[in-house]
Amino acid sequence: MTTRTDDAAPARPVSLGGPLIRFRVAAYATGVALLGLVVEMLLQYVFRVELPQFVKMIPMVHGGLYLIYLLLAVDLAIKARWSMKGTLLVLIAGCIPFFSFVMERKVTHKVQAGVKL
């Protein structure tokens, strides 16, 4: 009679569908908020336009969305086992106008293909 020494069940692959969708939403929201911030800063500091108070809240909105973006990007990076360099590039993408949109597409294609970043 032989006994099985390894009682552990085979590891199931981690589903990245949920974390990827959350990351994509956060990337778009952060990118749009960053573009709004750039427009707000141009109007306020370059063109010296007096803006209404609610427009002056765009920096706080972007900051909050960026924090959420960071958390969701790190969550996806851990689950998809990204390299440190790839993770840092994705984290920085939320601070450069238009780059979060580009990085979102790149991340989506790589995750769906099963390729590490």
Side-chain angles (χ1 to χ4, degrees), residues 59-79:
M60 291 189 310
V61 170
H62 170 67
L65 289 172
Y66 183 63
L67 287 175
I68 293 168
Y69 171 83
L70 290 176
L71 292 173
L72 294 175
V74 167
D75 177 53
L76 182 59
I78 290 169
K79 290 177 179 168

Side-chain angles (χ1 to χ4, degrees), residues 36-81:
L37 177 62
V38 168
V39 169
E40 184 261 343
M41 290 176 69
L42 286 172
L43 288 173
Q44 188 172 2
Y45 297 114
V46 175
F47 299 109
R48 304 283 186 201
V49 175
E50 185 61 35
L51 300 171
Q53 190 62 35
F54 74 91
V55 175
K56 293 181 181 179
M57 292 185 62
I58 292 176
M60 291 189 310
V61 170
H62 170 67
L65 289 172
Y66 183 63
L67 287 175
I68 293 168
Y69 171 83
L70 290 176
L71 292 173
L72 294 175
V74 167
D75 177 53
L76 182 59
I78 290 169
K79 290 177 179 168
R81 298 179 174 247

